[in-house]
Amino acid sequence: MDRPSYPLLQKLAASRVAIEAVEPAIDGGRFAAKAVVGMPFRVEADIFCDGHDVIAAALLHRRRGEQQWRETPMRPLVNDRWRATITFSEAGHHEFSIAAWRDLFASWRAEVAKKHGAGQNISLELEEGKHLVEQALAVHDGRTGGDRSALKALLDEVRSSASEGDRLAVLMSDDMAALMARWAVRVNLTESETAFPVFVDRERAAFSAWYELMPRSQSGSPDRHGTFDDVIARLPYVEGLGFHVLYFPPIHPIGRTNRKGRNNSLTPEPDDPGSPYAIGSEEGGHDAIHPELGTLEDFARLVEAARQHGLEIALDFAIQCSPDHPWIKEHPEWFDWRPDGTIKFAENPPKKYEDIVNVHFYRDAIPGLWYALRDVVLFWLKHGVRIFRVDNPHTKPLPFWEWLIEEVRQVDPGVIFLAEAFTRPKMMKRLAKVGFNQSYSYFTWRNTKQELTEYLTELTREECRHYMRPNFFVNTPDINPYYLQTSGRPGFQVRFFLAATLGSNYGVYSGFELCEAAAMPGKEEYLNSEKYEIRAWDWDRPGNIRSDIAFINRLRQENPALRQFTNLNFYNAWNDSILYYGKFTDDFSNFLLFAINLDPHHPQAAHFEVPLWEFGLPDDATIEADDLITGQPFAWSGKIQHMYLDPHQRPYMAWRLKAPGGRR
């Protein structure tokens, strides 16, 4: 006998149950799947074994660093696929594993049921069943509690029963089955070869409505620089629209060297405020505030006032500097210099950013720059900011982001990072893997029914659903989409409705509610952009869609189905200009249907299917519903119905189905 191979033989022989295709397992467990406190987290795997014995499986989960696993039974689906659903009670790092084993008592019950049903003698089988119970108690001899007492009592009843029928009844009882499922010896216990990481976020990472504004444009006059006090005066407006997050572009001192003028002009006027993305001057850098906005004390008052209005403040984390940033003199090794001794300005040929210089992350910049940037985030965290929108993270090293985000999470696991990365798909997804809680997406440029259906199917059905949370911004200071430039008020209603009902996270840049669309000719950029000048807005100007925004945000708050992202189904509406879809909770107690006319210029009509089959109803059934816009209840009879959507009246419809019994 080849004795050296015996340890391998023992190991392989013991692990008799196969555990495969675990999901979610991001890159085999290299990165964490994402979950949310209090929301269902579903794990699946293929689990099977040789022969015909019954097997059992459990999902094991714990907070990272804990010794003890918590266990949740898994249930079989079809084709050897198993599933368990759990919820996490606190944010931070967690992990899960899977265990499976041969369940000899369940196999015994199945065999005895067949033999007894066939009229065969089962006296020996009853002895075998009794022995399995005795074995369970013996193996767990040191355990106490109600389960042990109950199992011991049932065993005593089996031993004292004079008749075979009574012993059979006790051994086959539901109470015995439940106790043995927890206490029986786990034969050929097999565990997945690795523990899979999960990062659990607070709810705001998965359900949020962002409103972006330029603080300096909140004074009401183009001739006066806005202050944090002006922003405080605007908080009731933002709260009234139903937003959760109030997001500011950079609020730091703005450099004067090569300052840009209006409409990105290279020849500014003396009073032009410059771009807030040209960060840094003699007044300070990334941990300072532009003096005309106020002081740190003023900012603290703003953060507290926002909290009282149900709003969180989000800041832009833009890793770039003006030529006047203090770091350039203090740490020249963090920057790139040209052969003639001049500093290298930021470029994205053919675009040039003469008012900005970039840091580099390696050579003599590591580790000093990395620590400095981490400390910037921790500085603002100390001052009440727990949400950061990160500018162009795809142009910075991936290892830097993985390190920085983990460093911040060690201080506060509830900090949220939004990746503003309109770049290649794999890079966007990798940023989500390394830790970004939310991600910009291609939604802004998906306009047709086919484009939206294909893209949302990818985001909600493919593996990326486990780690990438899109934030559907409808516009930004940098992006004035062509669709909005040409679609009028109905187009703004269309894009907002899509973002807020398809996505659980979405955002708007102020002016959107006013249907502001004036553009630089031939470009997806705003004319007279607030990036380069102070603007004053009439927030009540005719044609605004404030009522639409407040209404849809109220729907989002009132309907649990809209707090989730991957619970999306597209349904049939026979018109390529009408997108028709549903969102629903797992138990169908909240089942919503939406229809939107993607054509902002013309009325569109379509026959469509009411998804009666989701509730197990026949095609000619009647189902009750509520019109969420009018508030009126009604009923649909039959699967095929008809809709008509005039974009100049209202381009969208919303209904809530009343599920018979509340479940499918």
Side-chain angles (χ1 to χ4, degrees):
M1 180 181 293
D2 184 9
R3 292 294 183 182
S5 70
Y6 186 56
L8 177 60
L9 183 155
Q10 285 183 302
K11 179 181 178 181
L12 291 175
S15 301
R16 188 170 172 181
V17 184
I19 301 174
E20 300 179 348
V22 177
E23 187 179 82
I26 311 306
D27 289 359
R30 165 67 174 86
F31 297 106
K34 288 184 171 67
V36 181
V37 170
M39 294 186 69
F41 179 74
R42 180 177 295 169
V43 175
E44 293 187 0
D46 294 341
I47 303 173
F48 52 93
C49 186
D50 60 280
H52 301 289
D53 283 338
V54 175
I55 60 173
L59 172 64
L60 311 176
H61 57 98
R62 65 186 177 187
R63 191 175 180 89
R64 193 176 70 181
E66 291 180 345
Q67 296 299 311
Q68 192 68 32
W69 292 97
R70 288 174 288 278
E71 182 175 299
T72 300
M74 299 187 76
R75 62 182 179 87
L77 303 174
V78 295
N79 194 25
D80 294 320
R81 193 70 174 165
W82 292 64
R83 173 187 294 168
T85 301
I86 58 174
T87 57
F88 298 97
S89 60
E90 56 182 333
H93 290 284
H94 296 252
E95 58 187 359
F96 72 88
S97 184
I98 293 173
W101 58 94
R102 292 168 61 231
D103 188 338
L104 297 190
F105 189 77
S107 298
W108 174 87
R109 291 183 86 238
E111 180 183 345
V112 168
K114 293 177 182 177
K115 289 184 176 181
H116 182 66
Q120 296 179 10
N121 186 315
I122 58 170
S123 57
L124 288 178
E125 281 76 4
L126 293 179
E127 285 300 311
E128 291 172 346
K130 178 168 69 72
H131 175 70
L132 290 171
V133 179
E134 292 170 339
Q135 187 181 43
L137 286 167
V139 168
H140 300 297
D141 188 46
R143 290 174 59 180
T144 60
D147 271 8
R148 180 177 182 83
S149 298
L151 189 58
K152 179 69 165 56
L154 288 176
L155 179 59
D156 290 341
E157 192 174 344
V158 171
R159 287 169 171 168
S160 63
S161 296
S163 76
E164 185 176 284
D166 290 342
R167 293 196 298 275
L168 176 65
V170 175
L171 286 169
M172 296 292 286
S173 67
D174 291 341
D175 289 343
M176 179 67 83
L179 287 166
M180 286 295 286
R182 296 191 291 271
W183 277 66
V185 177
R186 296 182 171 182
V187 179
N188 296 123
L189 178 64
T190 306
E191 296 186 8
S192 49
E193 294 185 359
T194 185
F196 300 96
V198 181
F199 189 81
V200 181
D201 283 301
R202 60 189 177 103
E203 185 192 28
R204 191 57 68 227
F207 178 66
S208 61
W210 293 49
Y211 185 84
E212 178 181 4
L213 59 75
M214 293 274 187
R216 70 187 186 189
S217 288
Q218 306 311 307
S219 71
S221 168
D223 300 319
R224 182 172 76 81
H225 195 290
T227 66
F228 289 141
D229 283 336
D230 293 318
V231 177
I232 290 173
R234 297 269 294 127
L235 293 176
Y237 173 90
V238 180
E239 178 189 20
L241 290 176
F243 290 97
H244 307 122
V245 178
L246 180 59
Y247 154 51
F248 304 148
I251 59 173
H252 314 301
I254 298 172
R256 299 207 65 88
T257 299
N258 297 335
R259 177 174 285 191
K260 294 296 185 72
R262 298 187 179 193
N263 288 314
N264 204 22
S265 166
L266 297 177
T267 55
E269 298 296 324
D271 60 346
D272 281 341
S275 167
Y277 287 90
I279 297 170
S281 72
E282 61 183 13
E283 288 93 354
H286 285 75
D287 57 357
I289 288 175
H290 190 67
E292 291 181 88
L293 289 173
T295 65
L296 270 174
E297 291 73 21
D298 297 328
F299 182 76
R301 287 192 298 104
L302 168 58
V303 170
E304 175 57 24
R307 186 189 66 79
Q308 294 177 5
H309 286 277
L311 294 162
E312 282 196 62
I313 298 298
L315 289 187
D316 211 313
F317 183 37
I319 302 178
Q320 56 200 40
C321 304
S322 91
D324 305 324
H325 197 292
W327 283 349
I328 295 177
K329 291 182 179 179
E330 296 169 0
H331 298 283
E333 71 276 12
W334 294 356
F335 297 88
D336 287 317
W337 300 85
R338 300 174 68 85
D340 63 358
T342 60
I343 199 166
K344 186 175 183 178
F345 295 111
E347 294 185 44
N348 183 17
K351 292 184 178 181
K352 292 186 178 182
Y353 304 96
E354 294 88 352
D355 56 341
I356 292 172
V357 298
N358 287 326
V359 298
H360 68 74
F361 284 82
Y362 286 87
R363 304 194 301 274
D364 294 335
I366 189 169
L369 174 67
W370 293 39
Y371 285 125
L373 291 169
R374 176 203 61 184
D375 291 346
V376 166
V377 176
L378 295 179
F379 175 86
W380 291 109
L381 175 60
K382 181 180 177 181
H383 287 84
V385 178
R386 302 179 75 205
I387 305 178
F388 297 89
R389 178 269 199 186
V390 178
D391 190 66
N392 287 323
H394 58 289
T395 62
K396 287 78 180 175
L398 290 165
F400 166 75
W401 290 122
E402 188 169 0
W403 171 83
L404 179 139
I405 291 172
E406 179 56 26
E407 286 281 296
V408 175
R409 284 174 172 172
Q410 294 301 313
V411 178
D412 182 353
V415 174
I416 295 169
F417 292 92
L418 166 61
E420 186 259 358
F422 299 111
T423 183
R424 303 181 308 279
K426 289 182 174 62
M427 174 59 84
M428 293 171 69
K429 292 175 179 177
R430 181 76 175 199
L431 287 165
K433 290 177 183 179
V434 302
F436 279 90
N437 312 76
Q438 296 183 11
S439 306
Y440 277 48
S441 72
Y442 301 140
F443 167 79
T444 314
W445 299 278
R446 298 296 184 265
N447 298 315
T448 69
K449 183 173 183 174
Q450 180 178 351
E451 290 170 343
L452 287 163
T453 301
E454 290 179 353
Y455 190 46
L456 267 295
T457 299
E458 173 191 344
L459 294 177
T460 60
R461 293 290 184 268
E462 296 184 8
E463 189 198 31
C464 62
R465 73 189 188 278
H466 295 303
Y467 60 82
M468 183 175 176
R469 293 198 194 98
N471 190 318
F472 289 164
F473 263 79
V474 289
N475 68 328
T476 77
D478 298 304
I479 303 170
N480 179 12
Y482 290 125
Y483 180 94
L484 295 180
Q485 294 178 27
T486 60
S487 62
R489 183 175 185 269
F492 283 80
Q493 292 174 300
V494 167
R495 294 305 294 177
F496 181 82
F497 187 87
L498 289 171
T501 58
L502 286 170
S504 55
N505 295 306
Y506 81 94
V508 306
Y509 163 52
S510 64
F512 181 91
E513 70 268 42
L514 306 180
C515 304
E516 175 65 25
M520 296 283 287
K523 297 182 178 180
E524 284 191 316
E525 297 180 17
Y526 284 98
L527 186 66
N528 304 320
S529 169
E530 284 184 298
K531 289 194 298 181
Y532 309 107
E533 63 181 277
I534 296 170
R535 299 286 302 271
W537 302 96
D538 175 7
W539 300 106
D540 297 309
R541 81 184 189 190
N544 69 73
I545 62 166
R546 286 170 51 184
S547 61
D548 297 87
I549 292 173
F551 163 69
I552 295 169
N553 277 338
R554 187 170 67 252
L555 284 189
R556 285 166 53 90
Q557 288 296 130
E558 294 172 351
N559 290 276
L562 290 174
R563 293 176 176 267
Q564 302 176 47
F565 177 60
T566 59
N567 59 336
L568 172 69
N569 273 350
F570 290 100
Y571 296 116
N572 284 329
W574 289 281
N575 183 325
D576 286 343
S577 293
I578 293 180
L579 190 69
Y580 171 52
Y581 51 95
K583 303 199 81 173
F584 41 82
T585 54
D586 288 344
D587 64 357
F588 277 28
S589 61
N590 191 229
F591 193 112
L592 308 181
L593 291 174
F594 303 103
I596 183 77
N597 180 1
L598 303 174
D599 178 356
H601 304 293
H602 306 99
Q604 298 288 342
H607 285 92
F608 67 98
E609 290 183 321
V610 179
L612 299 173
W613 63 90
E614 299 279 26
F615 305 97
L617 298 175
D619 290 354
D620 59 353
T622 296
I623 192 167
E624 295 182 352
D626 292 318
D627 186 320
L628 294 175
I629 296 168
T630 66
Q632 295 300 309
F634 68 99
W636 272 315
S637 293
K639 183 173 72 172
I640 304 301
Q641 301 292 330
H642 189 266
M643 70 173 80
Y644 178 85
L645 288 164
D646 185 343
H648 301 292
Q649 295 181 1
R650 188 184 66 247
Y652 57 82
M653 291 183 177
W655 306 284
R656 181 169 51 224
L657 299 185
K658 298 178 181 179
R663 300 186 65 87
R664 63 165 110 196

